[in-house]
Amino acid sequence: MWDYSETVKEHFFNPKNARGMDDANAIGDVGSIQCGDALRLTLKVDPESEVIQDAAFQTFGCGSAIASSSVLTEIIKGKTLDEALLVTNQDIADQLDGLPPEKMHCSVMGREALQAAVANYRGEEWSDDHEEGALICKCFAVDAVMIEETVRANNLRTVEDVTNYTKAGGGCSACHEGIEEILTRVLAETGEAFNARASRRKLDEAKEPKQVPGKGMSNLERIRRIERVIEAVRPQLQRDRGDVTLVDVDGDTVFINLVGACSGCQMASLTISGIQQQMMEDLGEFVRVVPVPAKAGVAA
């Protein structure tokens, strides 16, 4: 799995400002659950000074998405809206002591949520600048404007770089040619030539199968590891008057039961995401964690 910094781990396991905000006067929604990442950023802004007095987030995504959202709320509190808008996705990554290249799109999502929230506060309609015919990646709905801005802001050089920062090109690969055209045009502005051959070689290397730690283990060992993760998170949930139990394992789907305070908690999705991330880290493979009633089992 990816090599996360200690700061990323801290913000993932103990996220700051992960909650809803009833008195928010600025809301920014970006991403979509269908594409794998969604973020809602809420702000409480002083009407007189436009200083951000409080910031909170709710997200559906991986550990990097949670960590990026958490640190973003800490960065912008106390800043004016104009000062906050100067925060870049690289600032978010730097504050986390770096993100794996494959997870840089999480910091980009945080920056977009901030822009959307500020626009919402000012009564403006924020959009991601989609234009007729400008959609490059249909799998993840990424347009040419976003790719160009991200390439310029982060000095990207290859299609793999663009995929890491925007997700564009990470699906069916049909948009790679369009991404290459954008890279060629943007790099030419600074007198630099886009090296298509090197870019494709790097992309091919990234697609080569890697050794997965979880492969080859017996089903019994796999289930024991899943149980070990469950047991590791239970004490923290129990302190909050909740609990979690393992219901069943079916292929790459792990069924769990949240009980007590956890069953109706607004942070239930964050808890499930955290358990899922820990399981993937321990197993070295993708798993999907699904909450079901204890008696429902796999049938649910």
Side-chain angles (χ1 to χ4, degrees), residues 158-194:
T158 67
V159 174
E160 184 195 16
D161 291 339
V162 172
T163 300
N164 290 339
Y165 277 72
T166 67
K167 282 193 172 184
C172 69
S173 305
C175 61
H176 285 188
E177 184 176 346
I179 296 173
E180 289 182 355
E181 291 177 358
I182 293 174
L183 284 165
T184 299
R185 184 173 66 255
V186 174
L187 292 178
E189 294 173 359
T190 60
E192 184 177 349
F194 170 64

Side-chain angles (χ1 to χ4, degrees), residues 272-287:
I272 294 167
S273 179
I275 294 172
Q276 177 175 291
Q277 185 72 13
Q278 290 187 58
M279 285 185 184
M280 291 193 295
E281 294 283 357
D282 193 88
L283 293 169
E285 61 180 276
F286 172 80
V287 294

Side-chain angles (χ1 to χ4, degrees), residues 55-104:
F57 78 94
Q58 294 170 299
T59 187
F60 177 90
C62 64
S64 297
I66 294 170
S68 296
S69 304
S70 172
V71 80
L72 172 63
T73 59
E74 291 292 280
I75 291 174
I76 63 177
K77 281 195 292 186
K79 294 183 182 293
T80 65
L81 293 181
D82 288 335
E83 290 171 342
L85 286 174
L86 297 177
V87 175
T88 67
N89 70 280
Q90 191 59 54
D91 292 331
I92 297 171
D94 289 344
Q95 197 71 20
L96 289 168
D97 294 327
L99 281 170
E102 299 88 349
K103 293 295 183 179
M104 283 299 294

